[in-house]
């Protein structure tokens, strides 16, 4: 593998000890306390060309565990903003009623122990407690939270968390009204065809309509499973990846038009380390092997593995495509380089845009860092998924401070900048690959969450569309849904829609376009 690129890298500004800014960070991570709606937002205005449809964002939002768990142990909550054909905008938020959430709701109190602790003994105690007292054997001693992401496929909206099966949600829009949004089915398994769990980052092919996904099992073989879902929602192929010799955590994946890229990175499971070193069983091993795997779409069973540079980790991919000129498969993702081996869920390690070029004929790899911007939560125009994309959008790490009201993590990172980054290695304007070509810097006190690209109605150019996100402002104690011009972020929000409920720090969202049906039941 080629050496990683040089240059000074940016990272979040450490504001530990700054009481005001640390109060901001605490506010950002403090969960939403209740459910609201559906309600119409009469003051909401949207730009010309913004399509009818819905935006849904999922994230950890504990109901009973504030201050006692890891933030990531929180119950899933989805914030929904619906854009109706008449121009009306509606909002509601709902907890994802997983089996774990339902049990605590019925009891009216916290029941499950959080297990994302870097202490092997305490983790084992938590697992035993959850199994013995709350029937969590089927989920390996964890509480079902379904708190990470959301996907809409074949008429179904699924809330996702990689260690669990999806929860199916139901959205009902009728007579130009958002009438209902609620949990329909916990433990959704594609009519019994889903083996194992489901990643929080499935990929949808915009041309074929297929959805590609994977799952992992850190304790038993096969340690990974690859699955293909047809455009009409039927699982048509699933295969265990049996040449993975270790249990490892894999959070994301990527696709091209004919291949899927899987990750075997050194976030390794070790039961012995949990016992002998009293550690969380999944630890980053800085000097351990790191691999990318190619499996052919359309029923592939064999994986071609590529050794890549060690010492790094990837939580989120940007995109991948086939380079017709060189025969290589090109992957873009955000790669971090933790300073040392250990528990990665508590410490800050910034990620940077990175490129891998895989040659299936020679099994060779060329890789390089494309920029120096510490960033997260990337997105592209979804119509370019699996094809060459010119631009990516992401948040830029801004502030890092203590989280005093949470047991874990010790620190929180917030974001106040969006960056539009050039992915193309052959730009006609002479700009450098990895260069920031447009950006938005928020006013003091406004904190941005993950961006999502929404193509405009009748769009032709790749960046002809909108960048949308939720945001929150502790100074005025308000949250917003923001809409930007994806071609020119410097304009600032074209629309700032005040929401009736606080939106706290979350994880992943999706925009789904409305069908032409007068009645939707999804």
């Amino acid at each position: 593998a080629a050496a990683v690129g040089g240059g000074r890298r940016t990272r979040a500004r450490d504001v530990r000890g700054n009481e005001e800014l640390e109060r901001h960070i605490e506010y950002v991570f403090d969960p939403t306390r209740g459910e609201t709606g559906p309600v119409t937002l009469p003051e909401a205005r949207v730009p010309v060309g913004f399509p009818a449809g819905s935006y849904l964002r999922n994230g950890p939002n504990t109901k009973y565990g504030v201050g006692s768990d890891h933030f990531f142990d929180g119950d899933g909550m989805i914030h929904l903003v619906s854009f109706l054909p008449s121009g009306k905008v509606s909002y509601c938020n709902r907890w994802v009623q997983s089996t774990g959430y339902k049990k605590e709701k019925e009891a009216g109190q916290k029941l499950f122990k959080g297990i994302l602790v870097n202490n092997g003994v305490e983790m084992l105690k938590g697992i035993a407690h959850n199994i013995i007292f709350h029937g969590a054997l089927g989920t390996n001693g964890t509480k079902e939270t379904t708190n990470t992401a959301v996907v809409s496929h074949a008429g179904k909206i699924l809330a996702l968390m990689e260690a669990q099966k999806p929860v199916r949600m139901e959205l009902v829009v009728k007579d130009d009204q958002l009438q209902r949004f609620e949990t329909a089915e916990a433990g959704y398994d594609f009519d019994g065809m889903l083996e194992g769990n489901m990643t929080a980052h499935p990929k949808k092919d915009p041309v074929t309509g297929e959805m590609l996904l994977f799952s992992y099992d850190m304790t038993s073989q096969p340690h990974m499973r690859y699955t293909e879902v047809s455009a009409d929602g039927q699982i048509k192929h699933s295969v265990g990846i049996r040449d993975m010799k270790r249990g490892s955590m894999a959070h994301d994946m990527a696709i091209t038009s004919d291949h899927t890229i899987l990750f075997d990175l050194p976030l390794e499971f070790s039961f012995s380390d949990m016992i002998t070193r009293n550690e969380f069983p999944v630890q980053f091993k800085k000097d351990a092997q790191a691999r990318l795997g190619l499996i052919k779409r359309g029923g592939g069973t064999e994986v071609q593995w590529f050794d890549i540079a060690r010492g790094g980790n990837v939580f989120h991919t940007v995109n991948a495509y086939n380079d017709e000129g060189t025969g290589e498969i090109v992957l873009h993702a955000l790669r971090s380089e933790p300073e040392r081996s250990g528990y990665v869920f508590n410490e800050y390690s910034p990620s940077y845009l990175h490129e891998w070029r895989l040659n299936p004929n020679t099994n060779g790899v060329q890789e390089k860092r494309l920029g120096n911007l510490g960033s997260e939560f990337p997105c592209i125009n979804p119509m370019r998924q699996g094809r060459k994309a010119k631009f990516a959008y992401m948040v830029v790490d801004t502030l890092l401070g203590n989280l005093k009201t949470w047991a874990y993590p010790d620190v929180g990172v917030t974001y106040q900048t969006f960056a539009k980054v050039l992915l193309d290695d052959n730009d006609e304007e002479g700009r450098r690959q990895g260069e920031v070509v447009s950006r938005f810097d928020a006013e003091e006190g406004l904190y941005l969450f993950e961006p999502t690209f929404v193509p405009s109605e009748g769009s032709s150019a790749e960046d002809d569309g909108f960048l949308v996100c939720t945001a929150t402002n502790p100074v005025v104690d308000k949250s917003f849904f923001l809409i930007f011009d994806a071609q020119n972020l410097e304009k600032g929000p074209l629309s700032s829609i005040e929401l009736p409920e606080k939106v706290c720090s979350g994880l992943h969202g999706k925009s789904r376009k409305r069908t032409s049906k007068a009645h939707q039941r999804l």
Side-chain angles (χ1 to χ4, degrees):
V4 176
R8 191 179 74 83
R9 309 182 201 184
T10 70
R11 54 189 293 131
R13 179 163 62 98
D14 191 336
V15 297
R16 283 174 286 192
N18 184 317
E19 293 185 5
E20 179 183 5
L21 291 179
E22 285 199 308
R23 279 196 300 270
H24 286 194
I25 295 172
E26 293 278 4
Y27 178 95
V28 169
F29 281 86
D30 188 51
T32 306
R33 302 296 172 167
E35 296 177 330
T36 295
V39 294
T40 299
L41 307 179
E43 303 299 319
R45 300 291 182 270
V46 298
V48 174
F50 192 83
S54 298
Y55 170 83
L56 307 99
R57 197 215 70 176
N58 198 358
N61 197 97
T62 186
K63 187 174 179 66
Y64 298 107
V66 178
S68 60
D69 289 337
H70 195 293
F71 177 75
F72 288 160
D73 279 321
D75 306 289
M77 176 176 276
I78 297 178
H79 295 267
L80 166 69
V81 185
S82 190
F83 299 88
L84 302 170
S86 65
K88 290 193 297 188
V89 179
S90 297
Y91 167 85
C92 73
N93 68 307
R94 292 290 183 268
W95 268 292
V96 179
Q97 297 207 23
S98 62
T99 55
Y101 173 85
K102 286 180 180 178
K103 287 181 179 181
E104 291 190 335
K105 183 182 179 183
E106 290 170 3
Q109 63 179 349
K110 179 176 170 61
L111 299 176
F112 293 85
K113 299 287 187 183
I115 64 167
L116 288 176
V117 295
N118 194 26
N119 183 304
V121 172
E122 290 302 313
M123 182 182 178
L124 284 174
K125 286 181 180 178
I127 289 173
H129 170 91
N130 294 341
I131 291 175
I132 294 169
F133 296 106
H134 305 299
L137 181 61
T139 53
N140 297 316
T142 66
K143 175 188 175 184
E144 285 188 283
T145 58
T146 324
N147 65 7
T148 309
V150 62
V151 66
S152 175
H153 183 68
K156 294 181 174 65
I157 295 174
L158 304 179
L160 305 172
M161 193 277 186
E162 65 197 49
Q164 297 146 16
K165 284 184 166 55
V167 171
R168 182 170 65 85
M169 308 296 292
E170 184 175 70
L171 168 63
V172 176
V173 177
K174 185 178 181 182
D175 299 329
D176 203 41
Q177 294 286 339
L178 171 58
Q179 296 197 342
R180 191 169 72 250
F181 180 59
E182 61 190 15
T183 298
E185 179 184 358
Y188 180 73
D189 62 2
F190 292 82
D191 298 321
M193 296 300 293
L194 179 66
E195 296 188 57
N197 298 315
M198 178 174 169
T199 176
H201 290 287
K203 304 303 179 189
K204 293 187 63 174
D205 188 309
V207 176
T208 68
E210 296 167 294
M211 181 169 68
L212 300 310
L213 59 96
F214 74 97
S215 62
Y216 63 85
D217 186 332
M218 288 185 284
T219 60
S220 61
Q221 283 276 17
H223 288 303
M224 185 172 285
R225 176 168 291 276
Y226 168 64
T227 300
E228 299 178 344
V229 183
S230 65
D232 62 359
Q234 303 300 309
I235 289 180
K236 60 179 185 177
H237 175 63
S238 186
V239 60
I241 309 301
R242 296 194 173 274
D243 55 353
M244 285 185 66
K245 304 304 181 186
R246 62 183 176 184
S248 61
M249 176 185 173
H251 185 64
D252 206 346
M253 61 184 289
I255 64 170
T256 73
S257 59
D258 54 13
H259 282 84
T260 293
I261 303 175
L262 303 172
F263 288 76
D264 178 20
L265 300 179
L267 281 178
E268 296 184 3
F269 175 85
S270 172
F271 185 78
S272 62
D273 282 354
M274 180 171 64
I275 300 300
T276 61
R277 302 176 63 175
N278 195 30
E279 292 180 338
F280 186 74
V282 180
Q283 299 278 327
F284 176 69
K285 306 290 187 180
K286 193 169 180 64
D287 297 324
Q289 184 184 42
R291 303 189 300 173
L292 298 175
L294 287 183
I295 186 168
K296 288 184 178 180
R297 291 176 50 183
T301 59
E302 300 296 324
V303 179
Q304 180 180 5
W305 291 103
F306 297 77
D307 284 320
I308 59 175
R310 301 188 181 198
N313 183 49
V314 171
F315 279 127
H316 295 122
T317 63
V318 178
N319 194 31
Y321 66 94
N322 300 323
D323 188 327
E324 303 296 343
T326 66
E328 296 168 313
I329 291 177
V330 183
L331 168 68
H332 293 129
L334 296 181
R335 179 181 186 269
S336 66
E337 294 181 19
E339 295 179 1
R340 55 184 176 273
S341 297
Y343 181 61
V344 298
F345 302 103
N346 261 5
E347 297 184 358
Y348 170 61
S349 181
S351 298
Y352 303 92
L353 184 62
H354 201 84
E355 179 182 272
W356 294 262
R357 302 185 74 92
L358 313 179
N359 189 322
N361 296 319
T362 66
N363 220 65
V365 181
Q366 292 293 318
E367 61 178 292
K368 61 183 177 181
R369 178 162 47 83
L370 295 183
N372 300 321
L373 208 59
S375 50
E376 251 303 343
F377 298 119
C379 72
I380 59 168
N381 183 331
M383 300 309 296
R384 301 306 304 164
Q385 186 81 64
R387 283 79 185 165
K388 187 172 184 178
K390 186 170 185 176
F391 303 110
Y393 303 82
M394 56 201 72
V395 291
V396 177
D397 300 356
T398 306
L399 301 180
L400 177 147
N402 290 313
L403 285 178
K404 299 184 180 69
T405 59
W406 289 93
Y408 301 95
D410 298 328
V411 297
V413 177
T414 58
Y415 312 99
Q416 291 182 280
T417 294
F418 280 154
K420 178 182 181 180
V421 179
L422 184 69
L423 297 176
D424 198 346
D425 56 358
N426 188 27
D427 181 56
E428 64 276 6
E429 298 180 32
R431 296 171 295 188
R432 291 177 292 106
Q433 191 182 21
E435 182 177 336
V436 176
V437 296
S438 184
R439 64 183 287 159
F440 167 73
D441 296 296
E443 64 191 45
E444 184 177 351
L446 182 65
Y447 296 91
L448 309 171
F449 302 131
E450 179 197 55
T452 297
F453 189 99
V454 179
S456 62
E457 293 181 328
S459 62
S460 53
E462 179 186 321
D463 61 350
D464 182 5
F466 305 92
L467 204 66
V468 303
C469 74
T470 52
T472 197
N473 189 326
V475 177
V476 297
D477 190 22
K478 292 180 179 179
S479 294
F480 306 90
F481 184 82
L482 305 179
I483 304 175
F484 297 83
D485 179 351
Q487 294 182 327
N488 188 348
L489 299 180
E490 281 84 0
K491 288 180 181 178
L494 303 178
S495 179
S496 179
I497 300 171
E498 184 177 336
L499 302 177
E501 187 65 79
K502 179 193 172 181
V503 182
C504 75
S505 179
L507 293 173
H508 303 294
K510 276 289 183 291
S511 176
R512 59 164 304 279
K513 191 173 181 180
R514 179 179 167 85
T515 68
S516 59
K517 296 178 183 179
H519 175 91
Q520 289 180 292
R521 193 186 203 93
L522 302 174

